[in-house]
Amino acid sequence: MLPALLEITPIGGIPGLPTALALFIALIAIQLLVGRDHVWMPRFVQQRSVGSKKLHKSVRKLRGLANFLDHHSEGRLEGLTQGAAIRLVAAAVILLCCTVPPLEFLPFASSVPMLAIAVLGLALTVRDGALVLGALLFTALIHILLCRRSLLRLFRCPRYPSPKHLILPFSPHPYPRTTP
């Protein structure tokens, strides 16, 4: 969840950073997908540390938000936050990570799948199945919109022409005639 939130900030506009964060998130999601009981991290990530003063200050600031989330997400569709549902969420996160590199060419466009990843991470953290369901629907919508547009552009199917090439009998001509 934290790398996805980091990408949503203006830092996500740095070229290459969204793809690097997506790879890091996919590494964790693959481990969830195969059912590992603990998450393996590269050594350089494991050796990072945070000072105790900074950690305590962050905990104090986030305590109110954590209490709010715990209070409002209690007991909603808990079956979607355990067992096989976690693997479904991991597969959705991997699919979302695959959409990030092509979206990186448009500034901040990769923030949309990262937002869905952040919501899925939050839903698993607070064990809120309703939030998982909403985030999965948002993920499906993202994939439908992205894939539909790109597939239509790739194949240019004559049955479904693009709107700028479509001239209907009742539509005005793109270059109106002028009468002298």
Side-chain angles (χ1 to χ4, degrees):
M1 178 174 80
L2 293 178
L5 288 175
L6 180 66
E7 197 279 335
I8 294 171
T9 66
I11 294 172
I14 298 172
L17 185 68
T19 299
L21 291 172
L23 285 172
F24 183 72
I25 293 168
L27 175 69
I28 296 169
I30 288 170
Q31 293 178 47
L32 279 175
L33 188 64
V34 298
R36 292 192 61 154
D37 58 347
H38 66 280
V39 177
W40 174 86
M41 296 283 190
R43 185 173 306 277
F44 73 92
V45 175
Q46 289 179 1
Q47 292 176 345
R48 298 280 182 204
S49 64
V50 176
S52 64
K53 287 184 180 182
K54 287 183 180 181
L55 183 63
H56 287 294
K57 184 178 177 183
S58 299
V59 168
R60 273 194 308 266
K61 286 184 177 182
L62 293 174
R63 191 175 304 270
L65 177 63
N67 289 336
F68 173 81
L69 290 172
D70 284 341
H71 178 71
H72 289 288
S73 65
E74 218 172 311
R76 299 192 308 178
L77 301 172
E78 288 179 359
L80 291 176
T81 61
Q82 48 192 305
I86 291 178
R87 291 192 172 131
L88 174 68
V89 169
V93 167
I94 292 168
L95 283 173
L96 286 166
C97 286
C98 289
T99 63
V100 170
L103 288 175
E104 192 176 347
F105 292 110
L106 298 170
F108 299 105
S110 59
S111 295
V112 176
M114 287 297 199
L115 176 64
I117 291 170
V119 173
L120 283 168
L122 176 66
L124 289 180
T125 302
V126 297
R127 292 189 173 94
D128 186 356
L131 194 55
V132 168
L133 190 60
L136 287 175
L137 290 173
F138 182 60
T139 301
L141 181 67
I142 289 170
H143 278 287
I144 288 170
L145 292 175
L146 289 177
C147 292
R148 182 172 175 252
R149 273 189 82 85
S150 61
L151 287 177
L152 284 176
R153 280 192 187 154
L154 280 176
F155 297 114
R156 293 280 183 203
C157 184
R159 189 171 182 188
Y160 303 105
S162 63
K164 68 179 180 182
H165 296 117
L166 181 64
I167 299 176
L168 300 174
F170 54 84
S171 65
H173 192 279
Y175 305 103
R177 294 183 190 164
T178 56
T179 55

